[in-house]
């Protein structure tokens, strides 16, 4: 041991950024270079622990990092330059923020002494991102970089997760200015101490209420997925034979093929889930936030139910719907404690009441049951998703864009595992799907990774087909091509007498040639009988390649059920001609 | 209902912008806001007056708590407290108005802190209501300028908002 190695290693700010990421265990950084971050890119080049993925547009970098986080629970990392690089990342930051996804975004900034002078490629990224981040910070002294990076990860990943932006002026990373490097083991902040365990008294109260219920529903959201509590949720539900519904963000928390699963709830939720919610006498809400896409008219929401609400964020409790028994804490330990308390009591719900409740739910199930026209000569999107679900055994990572195709995927893919359904629920970002699938595929190269998209959405980040080629990302693109901005068209059909103001897409590219131009395989499917062979080719024969399946579906199809605006949770259109 | 929320905030750049931004973003009202460092220079003390129904106030306090730089906060109006606001009023004071303004200032225990041939500047400290009342009392006088500090507040008794 030389005498020098006892002292901290001397590193430049740029080298510290990369070393800190390596010490944090980061394998991939998604980004795009530019003037303000060139020192950092040079530091990246000079090591091999942290790998960089060069996207074709910064928005894609944020969605890749975001999807990695959704699949693993760990923060994804983005590196972009100042000005346009940073502003291009804004949509992705907002997407992560709305769905509480941990992400660390490193943005370059002009030299400190130029800040405020409208320097070349200067934008106030702290100001721009403030309303769409969990927190943001800037580097004032190079020697603070390790601490600030640790702090960024700590804040992003603890409590209710979210994106953190760290703005780094270029002069903080000058290669010749070196400082002692020390990466902190942990961070303690006097102003931020997220709650972990739930209040035991509240948990006891919740268990008593639950055991006394005659018509219970377990309603779970994205918090259970990101909180890693799917196993506890499933065990509790099965121990007590509770009906389970998941939000759009919560799919996969409970096995989609299990008989206790009553489907997604809300705007495009199943008939039985929305009916069960409305008639329930007790709602156990776990890691969900009673979003307006779930509740419909809050004044008519679940009129007879006692509401138990478990969430890590106190601000989510009683925000839109008053909770009778609030429990603030991480869902995983809270559910664990609930389960232990239930088992200790050696009591279950009144079995005859529960049996009646299940009978009622099964009757509702028979009413709509996810039916769609199976006799049509045209390909139906629902059928396509069912077939994709089958060929991937409900175990693929399904990364969706936004539109009708997203709802069909949510309704008809049977998610048997958590963290596999990856979609932009809160912001509804078209263009999310392909980069998200790339982020997952890069980190799970053996897994089936599907991008379900539409001809509108895919064109919002189509340039990433080039990134896929560079990194050999064999994602399967299921382009449910209806020639329309279908979800917009559906609303125009229902509310604007089918006046299709700018919802028809003319001059679509030949997606097959486009895929080929980028060096991939494209397959067009226009008839029902072509679907099976195409899926077989894409998922089996060309397993490792990117295959772009351009599937021409019935352009007239609508997503049903659909809640009636202003109504209760259970007031729905069931088809073009039926309503509740 | 009017509420006085007192906040201990990390004295860091951007912290105040974040707090004020929260109110703008979520559509909450700010009636007044005062902020300055405390005896501990790493902390700022902020007093914010807002109004809204119970649900809105609950959301405001919860959302404030979520800000990483907010160390502690309390709703002063929930218990006995002292609130004070400082006001400087410049009024036209010529002829017999000079005596009249002085009399009003005396009644309200204000002080005349600056004098010119045609103006008086009155300093007044008290609750916001008292300041409002003083402005009312000056209705016969031409008010040239009003500067109010916004409310500062503290709990009565042994209760404190500190680390
Ligand atoms: C960036 C962005 N712009 C606009 C919208 C509004 N929007 C929601 S769905 C939709 C149509 C999507 O069309 P497509 O991708 O073809 O999917 P489809 O509904 O036809 O399945 C639009 C325009 C959005 N969600 N995101
Ligand atoms: Mg479409």
């Amino acid at each position: 041991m030389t005498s020098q190695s006892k002292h901290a290693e001397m590193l430049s700010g740029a080298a510290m950024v990369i070393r800190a990421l390596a010490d944090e265990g980061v394998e991939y950084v998604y980004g795009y270079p530019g003037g303000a971050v060139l020192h950092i890119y040079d530091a990246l080049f000079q090591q091999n622990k942290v790998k960089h993925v060069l996207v074709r547009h910064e928005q894609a970098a944020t969605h890749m990092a975001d999807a990695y986080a959704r699949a693993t629970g760990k923060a994804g990392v983005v590196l972009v330059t100042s000005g346009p690089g940073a502003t291009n990342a804004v949509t992705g930051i907002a997407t992560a923020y709305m769905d509480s996804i941990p992400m660390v975004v490193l943005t370059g900034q002009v030299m400190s002494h130029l800040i405020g002078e409208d320097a070349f490629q200067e934008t106030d990224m702290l100001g721009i991102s403030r309303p769409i981040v969990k927190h943001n910070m800037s580097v004032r002294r190079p020697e603070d970089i390790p601490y600030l990076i640790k702090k960024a990860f700590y804040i992003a990943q603890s409590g209710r997760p979210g994106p953190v932006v760290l703005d780094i002026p270029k002069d903080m990373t000058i290669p010749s200015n070196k400082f002692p490097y020390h990466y902190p083991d942990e961070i303690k902040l006097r102003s931020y101490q997220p709650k972990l365990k739930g209040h035991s008294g509240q948990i006891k109260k919740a268990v008593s209420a639950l055991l006394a219920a005659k018509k219970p529903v377990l309603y779970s959201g994205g918090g259970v997925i990101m909180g890693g509590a799917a196993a506890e949720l499933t065990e509790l539900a099965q121990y007590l034979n509770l009906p389970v519904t998941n939000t759009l963000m919560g799919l996969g928390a409970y096995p989609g093929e299990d008989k206790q699963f009553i489907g997604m709830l809300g705007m495009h939720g199943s008939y039985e889930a929305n009916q069960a919610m409305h008639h329930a006498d007790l709602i156990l809400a776990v890691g969900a936030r009673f979003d307006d896409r779930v509740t419909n008219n809050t004044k008519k929401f679940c009129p007879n139910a006692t509401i138990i609400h478990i969430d890590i964020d106190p601000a989510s409790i009683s925000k839109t719907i008053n909770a009778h028994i609030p429990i603030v804490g991480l869902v995983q330990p809270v559910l664990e404690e609930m389960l232990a308390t239930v088992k200790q009591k050696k009591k279950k719900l009144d079995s005859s009441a529960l049996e009646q409740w299940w009978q009622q739910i099964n009757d509702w199930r028979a009413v709509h049951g996810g039916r769609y026209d199976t006799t049509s000569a045209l390909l139906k999107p629902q059928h396509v998703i069912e077939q994709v679900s089958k060929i991937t055994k409900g175990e693929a990572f399904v990364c969706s864009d936004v539109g009708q195709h997203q709802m069909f995927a949510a309704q008809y893919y049977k998610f048997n595992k958590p963290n596999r359904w990856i979609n932009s629920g809160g912001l509804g970002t078209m263009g999310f799907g392909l980069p998200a699938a790339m982020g997952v595929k890069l980190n799970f190269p053996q897994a089936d990774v599907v991008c379900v998209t539409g001809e509108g959405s895919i064109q919002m980040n189509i340039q990433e087909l080039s990134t896929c080629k560079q990194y050999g990302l064999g994602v399967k693109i299921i382009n449910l091509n209806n020639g329309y901005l279908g979800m917009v068209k559906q609303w125009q059909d229902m509310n604007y007498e089918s006046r299709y103001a700018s919802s028809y897409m003319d001059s679509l590219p030949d997606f097959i040639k486009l895929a080929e131009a980028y060096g991939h395989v494209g397959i067009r499917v226009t008839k029902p009988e072509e679907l099976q062979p195409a899926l077989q080719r894409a998922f089996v024969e060309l397993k490792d390649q990117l295959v772009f399946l351009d599937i021409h579906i019935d352009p007239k199809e609508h997503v049903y059920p659909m809640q009636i605006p202003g109504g209760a949770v259970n007031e729905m259109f069931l088809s073009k001609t039926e309503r509740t | 209902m009017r509420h006085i929320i007192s906040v201990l905030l990390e004295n860091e750049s951007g912290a105040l912008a974040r707090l004020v931004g929260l109110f703008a973003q979520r559509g909450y009202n700010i009636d007044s806001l005062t902020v300055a460092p405390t005896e501990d220079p790493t902390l700022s003390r902020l007093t914010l007056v807002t109004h809204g129904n119970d649900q809105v106030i609950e959301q405001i306090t919860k959302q404030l708590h979520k800000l990483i730089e907010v160390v502690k906060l309390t709703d002063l109006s929930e218990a006995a407290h002292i609130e004070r606001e400082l006001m400087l009023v410049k009024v036209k004071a010529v002829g017999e108005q000079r005596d009249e303004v002085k009399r009003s200032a005396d009644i309200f225990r204000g002080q005349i802190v600056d004098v010119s041939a045609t103006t008086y500047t009155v300093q007044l400290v008290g609750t916001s209501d008292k300041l409002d009342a003083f402005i009312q009392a000056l209705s016969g006088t031409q008010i040239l300028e009003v500067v109010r500090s916004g409310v500062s507040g503290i709990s009565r008794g042994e209760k404190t908002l500190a680390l």
Side-chain angles (χ1 to χ4, degrees):
Chain A
M1 205 199 244
T2 64
S3 64
Q4 260 206 332
S5 66
K6 279 189 205 151
H7 301 290
E9 199 177 345
M10 300 296 283
L11 294 179
S12 72
M16 282 193 197
V17 170
I18 303 306
R19 175 66 73 81
L21 294 179
D23 286 347
E24 190 60 40
V26 172
E27 188 179 2
Y28 290 109
V29 173
Y30 312 90
Y32 209 97
V37 287
L38 282 181
H39 296 324
I40 300 176
Y41 270 84
D42 195 50
L44 255 173
F45 191 85
Q46 296 183 41
Q47 52 85 58
N48 51 22
K49 276 201 178 130
V50 180
K51 286 169 264 185
H52 181 263
V53 177
L54 178 67
V55 291
R56 301 300 184 260
H57 185 295
E58 288 87 350
Q59 184 187 347
T62 57
H63 295 330
M64 285 186 82
D66 171 317
Y68 163 76
R70 290 179 201 244
T72 63
K74 288 187 273 184
V77 183
V78 176
L79 173 60
V80 293
T81 192
S82 67
T87 55
N88 269 353
V90 166
T91 300
I93 297 170
T95 302
Y97 178 71
M98 289 299 283
D99 290 341
S100 307
I101 304 304
M103 183 153 101
V104 172
V105 182
L106 308 174
T107 55
Q109 185 51 277
V110 300
M111 303 257 214
S112 312
H113 71 274
L114 293 175
I115 291 178
E117 296 193 354
D118 300 321
F120 177 64
Q121 296 196 329
E122 179 190 357
T123 51
D124 173 11
M125 193 52 189
L126 294 177
I128 288 174
S129 65
R130 199 171 287 129
I132 52 165
V133 293
K134 182 169 176 187
H135 194 55
N136 62 19
M137 305 175 284
S138 71
V139 179
R140 309 239 148 180
R141 306 182 315 164
E143 56 268 44
D144 294 342
I145 286 175
Y147 171 79
L148 289 173
I149 288 185
K150 184 79 196 178
K151 185 172 165 184
F153 276 94
Y154 170 56
I155 292 174
Q157 296 180 143
S158 57
R160 179 178 182 173
V164 175
V165 165
L166 181 61
D167 205 38
I168 312 177
K170 188 169 185 182
D171 51 323
M172 299 294 118
T173 58
I174 295 170
S176 54
N177 294 356
K178 298 193 175 178
F179 303 88
Y181 173 84
H182 168 72
Y183 197 63
D185 292 329
E186 60 169 354
I187 295 273
K188 282 215 168 79
L189 298 173
R190 63 181 174 185
S191 61
Y192 173 72
Q193 286 138 4
K195 218 167 169 298
L196 306 172
K197 282 191 65 207
H199 187 281
S200 292
Q202 288 293 92
I203 292 176
K204 285 210 179 75
K205 243 169 103 178
V207 167
S208 301
L210 180 60
L211 292 175
K214 296 195 158 63
K215 300 173 179 181
V217 174
L218 203 170
Y219 143 58
S220 89
V224 173
I225 306 289
M226 291 314 288
E232 289 77 6
L233 181 103
T234 304
E235 193 181 344
L236 180 68
Q238 294 185 342
Y239 188 76
L240 294 177
N241 191 23
L242 305 172
V244 184
T245 178
N246 292 154
T247 68
L248 179 66
M249 296 310 300
L251 292 172
Y254 191 87
E257 274 170 336
D258 190 89
K259 61 180 189 325
Q260 275 173 250
F261 186 61
I262 59 173
M264 180 170 79
L265 81 167
M267 172 154 282
H268 291 297
S270 75
Y271 180 80
E272 55 271 29
N274 285 344
Q275 287 291 11
M277 285 295 285
H278 187 77
H279 292 97
D281 69 351
L282 182 131
I283 304 265
L284 174 56
V286 191
R289 62 189 177 92
F290 296 90
D291 170 89
D292 54 289
R293 282 288 188 269
V294 159
T295 60
N296 211 4
N297 187 343
T298 51
K299 293 201 178 72
K300 299 181 185 169
F301 184 73
C302 300
N304 306 316
T306 299
I307 292 179
I308 304 170
H309 191 176
I310 308 171
D311 205 284
I312 185 63
D313 180 5
S316 282
I317 292 178
S318 299
K319 183 168 73 177
T320 56
I321 297 293
N322 192 48
H324 304 100
I325 308 176
I327 303 173
V328 177
L330 290 173
V331 288
Q332 196 264 340
V334 171
L335 286 177
E336 211 168 61
E337 196 175 328
M338 274 187 92
L339 193 62
T341 313
V342 166
K343 285 183 177 166
Q344 235 172 32
K345 285 201 162 188
K346 298 198 165 67
K347 246 187 81 183
K348 294 204 175 173
L349 281 74
D350 174 348
S351 62
S352 74
L354 194 57
E355 207 167 297
Q356 264 180 37
W357 180 228
W358 268 115
Q359 186 53 50
Q360 170 73 75
I361 290 173
N362 289 329
D363 289 349
W364 282 324
R365 220 173 223 163
V367 173
H368 186 267
R371 69 181 134 88
Y372 60 91
D373 178 10
T374 48
T375 59
S376 170
L378 296 170
L379 258 166
K380 291 285 179 179
Q382 300 93 330
H383 173 69
V384 176
I385 300 294
E386 281 178 344
Q387 295 309 309
V388 172
S389 189
K390 254 191 207 141
I391 199 163
T392 57
K393 302 184 182 71
E395 300 206 335
F397 288 91
V398 179
C399 304
S400 180
D401 259 307
V402 173
Q404 289 183 317
H405 59 270
Q406 174 189 24
M407 294 303 133
F408 290 131
Q411 291 175 331
Y412 292 90
Y413 196 95
K414 299 291 167 226
F415 293 95
N416 287 321
K417 288 184 176 166
N419 305 85
R420 302 265 160 139
W421 165 239
I422 291 179
N423 87 129
S424 166
L427 197 68
T429 309
M430 286 173 69
F432 177 81
L434 177 57
M438 292 158 56
V440 174
K441 186 69 186 173
L442 183 72
N443 289 282
F444 298 86
Q446 300 308 320
D448 280 328
V449 181
V450 180
C451 164
V452 174
T453 185
E455 79 299 324
S457 294
I458 191 70
Q459 291 189 81
M460 286 216 177
N461 270 316
I462 190 87
Q463 76 287 343
E464 297 307 320
L465 286 175
S466 169
T467 312
C468 291
K469 185 70 189 168
Q470 183 174 348
Y471 297 93
L473 304 176
V475 307
K476 310 298 171 190
I477 298 172
I478 304 291
N479 186 36
L480 294 179
N481 189 341
N482 51 10
Y484 284 94
L485 301 176
M487 190 54 97
V488 173
K489 175 180 169 289
Q490 176 166 350
W491 282 63
Q492 290 168 335
D493 279 331
M494 297 175 81
N495 303 315
Y496 301 90
E497 298 168 326
S498 300
R499 289 188 295 278
Y500 298 145
S502 296
S503 55
Y504 177 67
M505 277 229 160
D506 207 348
S507 309
L508 286 175
D510 179 333
F511 286 111
I512 308 308
K513 282 191 190 151
L514 189 66
E516 286 167 3
Y518 279 109
H520 306 298
V521 178
I523 304 174
R524 184 170 292 120
V525 178
T526 56
K527 298 190 200 87
E529 62 270 24
E530 292 169 358
L531 182 64
Q532 271 314 323
L535 290 176
Q536 188 67 21
R537 230 183 127 215
F539 284 90
V540 182
E541 290 160 36
L542 302 173
K543 189 165 176 25
D544 297 327
Q545 287 190 56
L546 187 150
V547 181
F548 192 117
L549 288 151
D550 184 31
I551 306 177
H552 291 228
I553 55 165
D554 182 353
K556 294 220 165 74
E557 194 53 89
H558 280 184
V559 183
Y560 291 110
M562 180 174 182
Q563 280 175 339
I564 298 168
V569 68
N570 66 333
E571 293 180 68
M572 292 162 271
F573 296 108
L574 299 179
S575 71
K576 286 184 184 169
T577 53
E578 304 158 278
R579 54 162 292 171
T580 50
Chain B
M1 251 273 279
R2 176 176 180 265
H3 287 253
I4 305 174
I5 297 173
S6 212
V7 184
L8 265 188
L9 191 68
E10 294 288 358
N11 186 9
E12 287 172 1
S13 78
L16 184 60
R18 205 182 306 282
L19 187 145
V20 173
L22 172 74
F23 278 73
Q25 187 189 338
R26 295 194 181 263
Y28 307 142
N29 305 294
I30 298 183
D31 298 331
S32 83
L33 176 72
T34 66
V35 59
T38 64
E39 82 288 2
D40 172 352
T42 66
L43 286 173
S44 294
R45 175 72 176 244
L46 184 143
T47 311
L48 191 145
V49 180
T50 183
H51 63 271
N53 61 32
D54 288 353
Q55 206 200 347
V56 169
I57 300 298
E58 183 179 329
Q59 265 299 309
I60 289 178
T61 54
K62 283 173 167 179
Q63 294 291 348
L64 282 172
H65 260 302
K66 274 173 75 173
L67 298 180
I68 305 293
E69 291 114 335
V70 167
V71 184
K72 277 188 175 171
L73 67 87
T74 181
D75 185 346
L76 287 179
S77 26
E78 278 180 348
H81 65 279
I82 296 160
E83 58 167 291
R84 289 291 179 271
E85 188 174 357
L86 174 104
M87 176 165 72
L88 298 168
V89 196
K90 190 177 286 187
V91 295
K92 188 98 173 185
V94 283
E96 53 198 51
Q97 280 177 328
R98 286 182 94 81
D99 269 355
E100 207 177 296
V101 171
K102 182 146 188 344
R103 260 200 310 279
S104 300
D106 285 344
I107 292 168
F108 281 84
R109 299 197 191 179
Q111 293 158 287
I112 295 175
V113 292
D114 189 49
V115 182
S116 80
T118 57
T119 65
Y120 275 156
T121 300
V122 183
Q123 169 188 307
L124 190 65
V125 174
T127 62
S128 303
D129 284 349
K130 177 176 162 182
L131 270 48
D132 292 342
F134 183 59
I135 291 177
Q136 283 291 318
L138 289 176
S139 59
T141 320
Q142 193 187 348
I143 296 174
L144 301 171
E145 230 181 314
V146 173
V147 183
R148 295 172 70 148
S149 64
V151 174
S152 288
I154 198 164
S155 304
R156 283 196 182 272
E158 287 173 2
K159 201 174 160 213
T160 58
L161 182 70
L163 276 188

